[in-house]
Amino acid sequence: MTATSKTVHVISHTHWDREWYMPYEAHHVKLIETMDTLLDTFEADPDFRSFYLDGQTIVVDDYLQIYPEKRERIQRLCDEGKLFLGPWYILQDEFLTSGEANVRNLQIGHREAAAFGRISKLGYFPDSFGNMGQAAQLLRQAGIGTAVFGRGVKATGFNNRVEDSSGLTSPYSELIWQSPDGSAVLGILFANWYNNGMEIPTDPERAKAYWDVRLKRAEQYASTSHLLFMNGCDHQPVQTNLSEALRVARELYPEYTFVHSSFEEYLEALRPELPADLSVTAGELRGQRTDGWYTLVNTASARVYVKQMNARNQTLLERIAEPLAAIAHSLGKPYPHAQLQYAWKTLMQNHPHDSICGCSVDEVYHEMATRFAKSMEVAKAVAAESASYIASGIDTSAFASFGDGAAPFAAFNTSGYEGSSVVTVEVEWSRRYFDQSENPAAVMKEVRDRTLPGGYLVNARGERIDCEAVDLGVRFGYDLPKDRFRQPYMARAVRLTFETEALPAMGYASYAWISGAVGEPPEAAPGHGADGSLVIGDRALDNGRLRVTVGEDGRFSLLDHRTGQQYDNLGEYEDVGDIGNEYIFKQPEGDTPYSTAWRSADIRVVLDTPFQAAIEISNELLVPASADERLAEEVAAMIEFRQRKAKRSEKFVPLRIVTRVSLDRSGLGVQVRARIDNRSKDHRLRVLLPTGVNSEVHYADSVFEVAERANQPEAEWQNPSNCQHMSAFVGVHAEGRGLTVATKGLNEYEVLQDGRNTIAVTLLRSVGELGDWGVFPTPEAQCLGEQEAEWMIIPHAGLEDRTEAYREAYRYTVPATAAGTGVHGGTLPGEADFLPWSGEGLAFSNLKVAEATGDRVARWYNLTGEPVTLAVHPDAAAVLYKSDILESAGGEKASGVLPVCGCEIVTLGLKGGNVWSRSL
């Protein structure tokens, strides 16, 4: 290839972090200035041909929020092919957002870009902290054939500089990126970062020095004659004199063709010249072939409380509100598209990497907490109204035989997996509505006098169910009817805790509290009614499947009766220093961990019912109060974290951890909740769970896949820490033995090379600075005060039933939903499943209603690399068709039995029909 044939494609852009080293509104002001300048530049300079708006439509939303009258100017630029919008709504962190959140991001981004005309069909990941393995499949299903990214294949350091590495996985900046199912896209690596063409000089002397270096660097990695230069960077103002800068470049380098280009033009010119020997990069891009310091994986443990809020919010939307609304819609209720989209957009405004990763200034997280709260309130309202609508259609007339004291309700399971759960619900009965003319105290007394405490719980078959009941007395409540003014009332209430029977995978079972019952109670349901206990002695629990035995230091053993395998020394807590920042964990040199092992703990049984038991373990450690004074000096002087010499302080404070280990009667795993009283700064706390499994690999839940990862890092790896991301769980297994750890919003783990393949889950990481390019103190990132963490330990038989353990891990994260109703007739039976399905090795993702078609859509993905079969059993009136992640109509018609390729993501549309199965 000769120099005379080379074309320099200069693409103008700005990478817009909505919030980062300043709060959102401070960055918002700068965005308005940037967009104003951009629009003026387009009008003033006819040679300024195009601008890429960072692949995220929210940039336009944020601008039009201030200047709605400028929509027409933006529309005109889109029509002229000068401004490119989409395909995303926001530029998300891929690993810290769920599969469905990544899908909604594409769906909403496409919808909003389409409102302006053309959608930019480019998988744009300029600064993601690693890239998900299923990206190529998601993009292909959305009609996108190219991905552009800056991290994962080659190490990129802070301050937008590039560190050369001897372990490149591709000799070119162009490669083939393949997902586990075989889907592939053209990958364009920002080999010299996404700022390699920023601030191009117009002075000839400076321009020559600039281009001499940059042209050489671009040519080092380009596989064709087309060289990509990104004219922009983080919050980069528009280069208004770009046309002049390119004119100067053309004069200096007549052998090159300089064009103010777009991604569309660049790719159209690039593709015909691509060589046949492009390397194929498969799966996740996590910087595996680097020194390990700048993968930025430790953002998974920065501000853990943010990740926990996000997990709750995502679960509430995608696993509860949307499925319940879809079921209600199939029964005649309008689907709340607008409300759910608002909730999703509000949530996704917390998903940009600098936001959800916890690597911004403290003020950012005040606003994020408000967004989480707003999104969840909408989701809760949708879920509650949908559940009530469904419950109102259940035939509960059988409960009338128990008299006026019957208070029916439905317990919904929307996890997609059949199973029992211990649930707590509050049930009201004997409501007495009143108005302003009445005395509320008299109404309360009236209700109290006509109701009685005590009673029992029955299922839809009239069988008695074990439960714990707490009388809440008479209390105030209100209804908000859709056709008249609010209706206050007084009602008797009880709080019930019980273990449900096996609930349908996507449905409900009905129950009733029979208050003040007299006479003989009905017969107990199978497995209920016995005076049994799961407590064995002072420090052990046993449900017939599992036995938990707690040692004197609080560590416990877990025996799996089914396999005979025992897992010892689970639950040790380890605390070490951290002199890094929100991005990167760095343990001080010579630091010695503090551990709860071999230290006496206070242990007591705190719950003993026939269906659930729990042991409480109280540990206390004295740990250093913070790093020593040297850390503040090193931070102020911007000493790179690897060069810091700070140690931990010689002043000590107590670190108190109260752990509740519980076992359900039908439980397949042990549930653990820890309350942490954190008074220390500059440290990391983990729980250690030795698996005792002999394996060189482990498996982590990620975006639409369970990714296989090596326990031992590559030879290039220098970082002593080898932490990784997980979504819902991580596990290690071999033939006959396996241990899976499911979590709620705990996204960082490490499999230790200690001979036991111990899974170390990060519960808390306390740091005091943002890091990156400046000095930005973040005192609230120390996470002082009470923190909580939840996880579940699921033993299994290893290879042969690992996917069943994964399903249990997914089910663990989705709580049951309850809705009260009255005694009445109805068209629905006492128990129903609205999406009966089966398929070994498949994971369920979501049930919702597609906006464009009004059809129900359901999504699964294959956890294995082998072909499997999905069987869906809707009623005969429903028509099934295969769709995609954009939930398009018109796919091939599907029977109730569908082959699913290895690692495939499959979306089915269900048109018509609303019949349920599992009727009583």
Side-chain angles (χ1 to χ4, degrees):
M1 184 186 302
T2 63
T4 55
S5 65
K6 294 186 179 178
T7 301
V8 176
H9 293 263
V10 177
I11 298 179
S12 294
H13 79 108
T14 185
H15 176 50
W16 203 264
D17 301 296
R18 295 181 79 237
E19 50 197 9
W20 182 19
Y21 53 87
M22 297 191 299
Y24 164 67
E25 291 299 350
H27 280 301
H28 194 189
V29 169
K30 303 304 293 183
L31 172 66
I32 303 309
E33 295 175 0
T34 301
M35 289 294 293
D36 283 346
T37 301
L38 175 61
L39 298 186
D40 292 344
T41 302
F42 273 124
E43 291 193 1
D45 182 1
D47 292 329
F48 192 89
R49 300 179 59 243
S50 72
F51 195 90
Y52 193 71
L53 271 181
D54 208 28
Q56 50 180 339
T57 61
I58 198 170
V59 174
V60 175
D61 279 3
D62 289 345
Y63 183 62
L64 294 179
Q65 184 182 34
I66 302 298
Y67 288 127
E69 66 274 15
K70 295 188 179 182
R71 183 183 182 92
E72 289 184 7
R73 293 179 67 182
I74 293 175
Q75 180 69 67
R76 185 172 65 252
L77 292 169
C78 291
D79 292 342
E80 294 171 354
K82 294 181 176 181
L83 203 58
F84 298 88
L85 307 184
W88 306 102
Y89 174 59
I90 53 92
L91 287 184
Q92 79 283 27
D93 184 90
E94 300 157 57
F95 287 118
L96 294 179
T97 52
S98 69
E100 289 299 324
N102 277 275
V103 167
R104 296 303 176 282
N105 194 5
L106 268 177
Q107 291 173 342
I108 293 175
H110 274 61
R111 179 180 184 271
E112 299 210 338
F116 288 90
R118 215 167 25 162
I119 302 168
S120 173
K121 287 289 190 175
L122 181 73
Y124 197 62
F125 306 96
D127 196 19
S128 295
F129 300 167
N131 298 106
M132 55 187 167
Q134 289 281 34
Q137 184 176 181
L138 290 173
L139 295 176
R140 277 294 180 189
Q141 288 199 24
I144 298 173
T146 303
V148 183
F149 52 91
R151 298 183 189 274
V153 171
K154 178 180 179 179
T156 303
F158 283 161
N159 302 319
N160 302 318
R161 67 180 183 271
V162 174
E163 297 178 352
D164 288 331
S165 168
S166 60
L168 298 180
T169 58
S170 171
Y172 304 127
S173 51
E174 298 82 29
L175 52 93
I176 302 300
W177 187 15
Q178 191 175 76
S179 283
D181 74 312
S183 299
V185 295
L186 172 64
I188 306 294
L189 171 67
F190 287 136
N192 294 293
W193 206 224
Y194 55 75
N195 68 337
N196 67 326
M198 68 181 287
E199 298 182 350
I200 302 172
T202 57
D203 175 74
E205 185 177 346
R206 291 181 55 230
K208 181 131 187 356
Y210 177 99
W211 285 114
D212 280 350
V213 173
R214 283 165 170 74
L215 288 170
K216 183 178 180 181
R217 287 178 179 172
E219 290 169 342
Q220 180 180 354
Y221 301 108
S223 67
T224 75
S225 65
H226 297 278
L227 309 180
L228 177 61
F229 284 85
M230 300 298 292
N231 176 235
C233 197
D234 304 344
H235 308 115
Q236 176 74 27
V238 179
Q239 183 169 354
T240 57
N241 64 353
L242 179 62
S243 296
E244 174 63 14
L246 293 181
R247 185 193 65 78
V248 171
R250 293 182 189 111
E251 291 182 354
L252 291 171
Y253 301 90
E255 68 274 25
Y256 291 85
T257 301
F258 289 83
V259 294
H260 190 201
S261 191
S262 66
F263 275 114
E264 286 187 359
E265 293 171 289
Y266 166 68
L267 290 170
E268 185 178 356
L270 176 80
R271 284 185 179 277
E273 293 187 17
L274 289 171
D277 62 344
L278 288 182
S279 63
V280 176
T281 297
E284 300 177 312
L285 308 180
R286 297 181 289 106
Q288 299 97 312
R289 301 295 301 271
T290 71
D291 67 8
W293 282 112
Y294 281 100
T295 65
L296 311 187
V297 67
N298 300 122
T299 55
S301 57
R303 302 181 192 261
V304 168
Y305 67 92
V306 170
K307 281 70 170 178
Q308 292 169 323
M309 284 192 287
N310 182 57
R312 288 194 293 271
N313 202 157
Q314 290 180 154
T315 298
L316 185 56
L317 272 173
E318 67 196 48
R319 305 306 288 269
I320 299 175
E322 285 182 332
L324 286 172
I327 294 170
H329 173 72
S330 73
L331 300 172
K333 188 179 187 331
Y335 191 79
H337 288 290
Q339 293 97 314
L340 287 169
Q341 185 168 115
Y342 169 78
W344 270 112
K345 289 177 71 172
T346 304
L347 168 61
M348 286 193 291
Q349 288 165 22
N350 285 347
H351 284 177
H353 58 190
D354 294 310
S355 304
I356 193 62
C357 286
C359 51
S360 292
V361 293
D362 289 342
E363 293 87 347
V364 166
Y365 298 96
H366 305 164
E367 186 154 2
M368 283 182 65
T370 299
R371 292 188 201 119
F372 282 131
K374 291 169 68 174
S375 178
M376 284 193 278
E377 286 301 325
V378 174
K380 287 175 186 176
V382 168
E385 192 164 304
S386 299
S388 294
Y389 182 88
I390 300 165
S392 70
I394 300 173
D395 184 357
T396 59
S397 57
F399 294 125
S401 63
F402 292 99
D404 294 339
F409 63 93
F412 293 88
N413 172 26
T414 50
S415 69
Y417 307 102
E418 181 182 285
S420 64
S421 299
V422 173
V423 300
T424 297
V425 301
E426 293 187 0
V427 178
E428 293 182 341
W429 73 98
S430 194
R431 288 185 179 181
R432 165 67 160 84
Y433 292 92
F434 61 93
D435 57 33
Q436 293 179 347
S437 67
E438 297 181 270
N439 182 349
V443 174
M444 177 178 280
K445 182 177 184 303
E446 176 188 332
V447 174
R448 184 183 300 114
D449 290 346
R450 74 187 188 196
T451 56
L452 295 172
Y456 50 82
L457 181 68
V458 295
N459 61 19
R461 294 180 293 277
E463 299 165 330
R464 187 162 44 87
I465 299 294
D466 294 333
C467 78
E468 292 286 304
V470 177
D471 182 21
L472 301 178
V474 179
R475 68 184 186 186
F476 167 80
Y478 61 90
D479 288 338
L480 297 175
K482 297 185 184 303
D483 58 352
R484 61 187 188 277
F485 194 53
R486 61 179 180 254
Q487 302 288 298
Y489 63 79
M490 295 290 180
R492 193 86 186 211
V494 64
R495 180 183 297 118
L496 304 175
T497 300
F498 67 101
E499 184 179 56
T500 69
E501 298 158 293
L503 294 177
M506 185 57 65
Y508 65 82
S510 56
Y511 299 88
W513 173 248
I514 311 302
S515 66
V518 294
E520 286 294 318
E523 290 188 9
H528 292 252
D531 295 327
S533 172
L534 308 181
V535 177
I536 309 294
D538 294 333
R539 297 202 302 258
L541 310 174
D542 197 309
N543 68 357
R545 295 179 179 85
L546 305 173
R547 172 171 291 189
V548 181
T549 306
V550 181
E552 293 185 359
D553 60 2
R555 291 182 294 175
F556 55 91
S557 64
L558 174 59
L559 173 62
D560 185 343
H561 291 304
R562 295 164 296 179
T563 64
Q565 297 287 327
Q566 180 162 306
Y567 305 82
D568 294 320
N569 297 317
L570 302 169
E572 174 186 349
Y573 294 103
E574 172 203 76
D575 188 85
V576 300
D578 188 348
I579 57 172
N581 52 49
E582 289 183 315
Y583 292 94
I584 300 168
F585 165 75
K586 175 63 170 66
Q587 190 171 355
E589 293 179 6
D591 185 44
T592 301
Y594 292 83
S595 169
T596 57
W598 310 112
R599 297 173 183 266
S600 179
D602 179 30
I603 302 163
R604 61 194 181 101
V605 174
V606 292
L607 180 65
D608 184 4
T609 72
F611 53 86
Q612 189 179 53
I615 294 175
E616 185 178 88
I617 305 161
S618 297
N619 294 100
E620 182 172 312
L621 287 172
L622 285 178
V623 299
S626 64
D628 61 25
E629 295 177 354
R630 187 167 184 172
L631 179 59
E633 298 170 359
E634 291 174 329
V635 169
M638 295 183 63
I639 303 296
E640 201 254 2
F641 66 92
R642 286 179 292 187
Q643 310 306 317
R644 292 176 182 174
K645 303 300 180 185
K647 307 290 187 183
R648 299 189 80 175
S649 169
E650 294 182 359
K651 178 183 176 181
F652 287 79
V653 294
L655 175 62
R656 297 190 179 96
I657 308 168
V658 178
T659 307
R660 184 184 177 107
V661 178
S662 61
L663 186 64
D664 296 349
R665 176 168 52 196
S666 302
L668 302 180
V670 177
Q671 298 185 45
V672 185
R673 178 194 294 265
R675 298 195 318 272
I676 304 157
D677 181 10
N678 180 39
R679 304 183 187 183
S680 178
K681 301 177 182 179
D682 310 315
H683 70 123
R684 181 186 68 183
L685 178 68
R686 303 198 292 189
V687 62
L688 306 183
L689 305 164
T691 69
V693 176
N694 183 19
S695 175
E696 295 181 353
V697 297
H698 65 275
Y699 298 84
D701 181 46
S702 191
V703 179
F704 291 119
E705 70 166 327
V706 176
E708 179 183 302
R709 297 173 183 165
N711 299 343
Q712 185 73 33
E714 298 289 343
E716 298 94 331
W717 200 269
Q718 297 176 18
N719 189 343
S721 171
N722 186 25
C723 291
Q724 306 293 343
H725 290 97
M726 66 169 157
S727 295
F729 59 81
V730 60
V732 186
H733 67 256
E735 192 67 40
R737 182 181 176 95
L739 195 71
T740 295
V741 181
T743 73
K744 295 182 179 181
L746 303 175
N747 296 120
E748 182 182 277
Y749 74 92
E750 182 176 7
V751 176
L752 303 180
Q753 302 301 291
D754 59 355
R756 302 180 297 171
N757 276 338
T758 294
I759 297 173
V761 179
T762 305
L763 308 181
L764 173 70
R765 194 164 74 86
S766 302
V767 292
E769 67 149 341
L770 189 156
D772 206 336
W773 63 274
V775 180
F776 302 101
T778 57
E780 293 178 18
Q782 297 285 6
C783 300
L784 297 175
E786 185 161 302
Q787 313 293 323
E788 288 196 354
E790 295 180 76
W791 61 96
M792 184 181 194
I793 305 169
I794 308 168
H796 56 92
L799 186 65
E800 66 184 51
D801 70 348
R802 70 193 188 285
T803 58
E804 290 304 311
Y806 298 161
R807 288 183 176 188
E808 185 66 12
Y810 288 131
R811 196 174 73 85
Y812 163 68
T813 64
V814 185
T817 302
T821 190
V823 176
H824 48 64
T827 59
L828 295 175
E831 181 177 320
D833 190 346
F834 291 88
L835 188 67
W837 69 276
S838 61
E840 187 175 348
L842 288 172
F844 177 79
S845 186
N846 181 247
L847 173 68
K848 64 188 287 289
V849 172
E851 184 172 13
T853 64
D855 298 335
R856 285 168 292 159
V857 287
R859 195 159 18 256
W860 294 263
Y861 52 101
N862 190 347
L863 294 168
T864 77
E866 302 300 321
V868 298
T869 299
L870 168 64
V872 182
H873 310 287
D875 66 298
V879 175
L880 272 66
Y881 60 90
K882 193 169 183 180
S883 185
D884 52 43
I885 60 114
L886 293 182
E887 296 164 6
S888 307
E892 60 182 282
K893 198 179 253 193
S895 66
V897 180
L898 185 74
V900 181
C901 298
C903 301
E904 182 183 358
I905 305 164
V906 60
T907 302
L908 286 184
L910 293 88
K911 186 182 292 292
N914 61 4
V915 178
W916 45 90
S917 69
R918 283 189 64 168
S919 302
L920 289 175

